[in-house]
């Protein structure tokens, strides 16, 4: 299988702080990869750089063989990269369905088609009954579902999800995992940041572990949970603070 | 046709029939209302839908006024063409300011400051530019006996009234069409959260430029009419800061981010302004009209923080029903006017405040619906 995404030596510095340090990895086309690591490890920053929201201080990012670091987020979205925001960003002045329609308009300029796509997606993630509420009225778990629906609506080839299952009830999380498995079966590549190891173990084929901005391990989920450095820096601390 | 279209049709038809029984004074006053409504619509496209605050719309208005008047007076260019050139000039200046601001990510109040700076710069340029008459102003010749209003686009109160009614109706229709298209959806996304919108593939830079260009162009046309009707132009009166502020009061009072709000607002604000000015003069109290303005704004903020139109539309039952899939009537029954850009939407700037109020508002709407 070929790589849809390649990071080479990607670094992001903030004044006096290296959020992401010389990170390199490939993401295989059609896979589900989990990006894990303790708080502040640089996961969200890595996402931001791939999605074009943040430009790397050094290194390069290739998507489908094209160099994309520095490309504007809306162009990357049009090229098939979608991301959710860890701190959810619903469009507050719009209804739930209109939020998802904005994503759907990435693929079509026909409002009717966008609307029906949006409704289908809302049903899929379990927000169908709230389609016509204002996005600002949603509870936090529902806003997380909305983030996922919006990103899915753009019709991505590479879907990046930043802790979309945090705070969901287990049944809701299972539903999202079902959606993700189905989406993956349609050929979409998924990169997800997740703290819930149950989710990681269940759906990811590959795991990448960041710690203090550095990539410290990568491999299959079962290999990762027994990796000494991962246990020491991440899973071990999780055992102490569940 | 939806209920809203019928309401719009009845409204325009009533205005079209009004001159049959109205005095020239009333028609002239209403013409001013239409001009304010036209600018309000233009400003609201930019602020209420695309979320870009302009405090310098007098610039486009003034440039449009001078363009049409000078082309007609000096070069004999019919205002039919002059209006087109004014639109292009207004749009071009707006594009320039927009491109500069958006390119360097000047957002929010800083962008508003930029628009003020450009407008004031424009006023000063016109004040020192002898070609346009400087502070002494520019005058149109009195109408000749052989004047044909449909050629010169200058005429009596009745002609001006109809000219502005047609222009306003067209601008309104245009704004409805654009706002309800994919462009309008994407504008509102930019307004609510530009970065989130861009992550969803919304080309924010281009769409913001479109909003400012359309807004600037329409405002220039309003200015063009204003110059033809008034016959005299002074930098301070068509390009001044005070005018920029006047322009935004109507859409704020009527409801930012609503399609009818600017028109309603103009019907409230312009007569009130005229009346209070006369009152201030009669009473010899300078600034009384400004005081009344202030009180009105406070009243609106307290009674109808989203503006007059959402408040009235709910009571008239003009809140659009949300389209739904067949067989889901139950859902529609409790649906709030969430996706209705004609009435309900608030703009990004107030979302912090309205957020807390939305649930009760939603319930209010739901129960309104139930009692219909
Ligand atoms: N805009 C910024 N300015 C300065 N420092 C930043 C900025 N954004 C992130 N950081 C810092 O970079 C580091 C990595 O942050 P990041 O959000 O990528 O971590 P994360 O792995 O997503 O953590 P979490 O699990 O808590 O979401 C943190 O130390 C953070 O404080
Ligand atoms: Mg994070």
């Amino acid at each position: 299988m070929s790589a849809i995404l390649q990071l080479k030596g990607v670094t992001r510095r903030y004044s006096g702080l290296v959020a992401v340090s010389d990170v390199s990895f490939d993401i295989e086309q059609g896979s589900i990869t989990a990006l894990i690591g303790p708080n502040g490890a640089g996961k969200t920053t890595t996402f931001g750089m791939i999605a074009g929201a943040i430009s790397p201080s050094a290194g390069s990012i290739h998507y489908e063989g094209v160099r994309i670091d520095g490309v504007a987020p809306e162009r990357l979205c049009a090229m098939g990269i979608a991301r959710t925001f860890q701190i959810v960003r619903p469009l507050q002045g719009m209804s739930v369905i209109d939020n998802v329609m904005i994503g759907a308009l990435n693929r079509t300029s026909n409002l009717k088609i966008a609307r029906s796509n949006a409704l289908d997606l809302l049903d899929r993630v379990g927000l169908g009954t709230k389609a016509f509420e204002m996005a600002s009225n949603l509870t936090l778990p529902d806003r997380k579902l909305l983030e996922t629906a919006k990103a899915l609506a753009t019709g991505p080839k590479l879907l990046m999800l930043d802790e979309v299952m945090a705070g969901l009830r287990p049944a809701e999380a299972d539903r999202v995992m079902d959606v993700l498995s189905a989406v993956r079966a349609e050929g979409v590549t998924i990169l997800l940041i997740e703290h819930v190891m149950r989710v990681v173990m269940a759906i990811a084929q590959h795991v990448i572990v960041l710690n203090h901005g550095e990539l410290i391990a990568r491999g299959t989920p079962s290999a990762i949970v027994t990796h000494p450095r991962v246990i020491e820096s991440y899973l071990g601390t999780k055992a102490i603070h569940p | 046709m939806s209920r809203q279209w019928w309401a719009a049709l009845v409204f325009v038809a009533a205005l079209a029939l009004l001159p049959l029984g109205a005095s020239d004074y009333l028609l002239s006053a209403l013409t001013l209302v239409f001009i304010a409504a036209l600018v309000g619509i233009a400003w609201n496209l930019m602020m209420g839908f695309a979320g870009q605050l302009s405090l310098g719309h007098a610039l486009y208005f003034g440039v449009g006024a001078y363009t049409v008047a000078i082309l007609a007076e000096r070069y004999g260019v019919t205002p039919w063409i002059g209006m087109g050139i004014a639109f292009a000039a207004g749009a071009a200046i707006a594009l320039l300011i927009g491109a500069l601001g958006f390119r360097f990510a000047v957002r929010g109040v800083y962008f508003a400051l930029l628009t003020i700076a450009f407008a004031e710069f424009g006023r000063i340029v016109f004040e020192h530019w002898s070609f346009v008459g400087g502070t002494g102003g520019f005058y149109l010749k009195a109408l000749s006996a052989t004047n044909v209003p449909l050629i010169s686009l200058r005429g009596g109160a009745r002609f001006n009234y109809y000219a502005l009614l047609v222009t306003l109706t067209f601008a309104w229709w245009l704004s409805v069409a654009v706002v309800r298209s994919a462009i309008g959806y994407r504008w509102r996304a930019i307004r609510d959260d530009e970065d989130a919108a861009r992550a969803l593939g919304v080309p924010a830079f281009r769409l913001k430029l479109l909003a400012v260009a359309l807004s600037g162009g329409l405002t220039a046309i309003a200015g063009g009419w204003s110059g033809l009707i008034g016959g005299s132009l002074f930098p301070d009166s068509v390009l001044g800061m005070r005018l920029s502020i006047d322009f935004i009061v109507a859409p704020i009072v009527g409801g930012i981010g609503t399609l009818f709000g600017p028109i309603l607002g103009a019907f409230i604000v312009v007569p009130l302004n005229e009346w209070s000015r006369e009152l201030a003069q009669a009473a010899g109290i300078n600034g009384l009209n400004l005081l009344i303005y202030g009180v009105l704004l406070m009243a609106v903020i307290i009674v109808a923080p989203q503006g007059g139109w959402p408040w009235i539309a709910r009571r008239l039952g003009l809140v659009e029903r949300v389209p739904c899939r067949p067989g889901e009537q139950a859902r529609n029954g409790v649906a709030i006017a969430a996706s209705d850009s004609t009435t309900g939407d608030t703009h990004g700037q107030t979302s912090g405040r309205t957020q807390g109020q939305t649930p009760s508002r939603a319930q209010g709407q739901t129960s309104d619906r139930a009692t219909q």
Side-chain angles (χ1 to χ4, degrees), chain B residues 74-336:
Chain B
R74 293 250 171 87
Y75 304 101
V77 178
T78 165
W80 282 101
I81 295 170
M83 289 289 180
I85 296 174
F87 181 94
I93 295 172
L95 276 178
L96 178 83
I97 299 172
L100 239 152
F102 304 148
R103 171 69 187 76
F104 297 104
V106 180
R107 289 184 184 180
V109 283
Y110 300 102
F111 180 71
L113 285 178
L114 190 71
T115 63
I116 294 180
F118 269 93
E120 284 297 274
F121 176 72
R123 179 180 61 81
I124 291 164
V125 166
F126 273 71
E127 278 177 353
H128 293 86
W129 192 7
S130 56
F131 177 72
V132 301
T135 43
F138 185 87
Y139 298 86
L140 288 169
K141 281 194 272 297
L143 287 176
S144 72
T146 57
N147 175 56
V148 182
L150 272 178
I151 294 173
S152 68
L153 294 188
R154 295 175 66 198
R158 184 163 301 200
F159 174 80
N160 293 336
Y161 177 90
Y162 277 116
L164 262 301
L165 181 59
V166 169
T167 311
L168 176 62
T169 306
F170 172 75
W172 188 22
W173 168 82
L174 185 71
S175 73
V176 173
V178 175
V179 163
R180 292 192 173 171
S181 71
I183 293 169
Y185 274 86
R186 295 174 131 194
W187 274 350
R188 288 189 288 141
I190 294 169
R191 172 196 71 187
D192 284 354
D193 186 336
E194 183 169 341
D195 291 324
R198 292 178 69 189
L200 295 171
V202 174
F205 182 72
R206 263 193 297 145
L207 285 172
K208 288 197 293 184
L209 284 185
L210 179 66
V212 296
L214 195 56
S215 187
L218 287 175
T219 305
I221 285 186
W225 280 117
S226 169
L228 290 178
I229 291 168
S232 59
L233 304 171
F234 302 95
D236 195 46
S237 62
V238 296
L239 283 158
M241 189 65 218
R242 173 67 208 275
L243 194 62
S244 290
I245 300 299
D246 274 352
F247 283 154
I248 73 174
V249 176
I252 291 174
V253 167
I256 292 177
T258 70
L259 286 166
F260 190 70
I263 300 177
L264 175 75
F267 269 92
I268 297 170
V269 167
V270 174
L272 190 88
N273 199 10
E274 291 291 303
W275 169 78
S276 63
R277 218 197 314 258
E278 278 163 27
L279 193 75
Q281 238 156 36
I285 304 172
N286 236 335
L288 182 65
N289 51 334
L290 294 177
L291 190 71
I292 293 177
Y293 244 44
V295 171
L296 170 77
L297 277 179
M298 280 191 276
V300 166
I301 288 163
I302 292 164
V303 176
Q306 279 134 22
W309 178 240
W311 192 82
I312 291 175
R314 264 199 314 278
R315 283 157 181 79
L316 290 180
L318 283 174
V319 174
E320 190 175 84
R321 284 177 172 255
V322 176
C324 69
R325 281 173 290 184
E328 295 201 17
Q329 256 61 8
R331 182 194 279 181
N332 195 22
V334 295
I336 62 164

Side-chain angles (χ1 to χ4, degrees), chain A residues 14 17 19 37-46 86 162-163 193 195:
Chain A
Y14 291 109
L17 175 132
N39 293 121
K43 306 180 294 293
T44 299
T45 306
T46 304
Q86 177 179 2
D162 197 343
E163 299 193 26
I193 296 175
H195 282 297

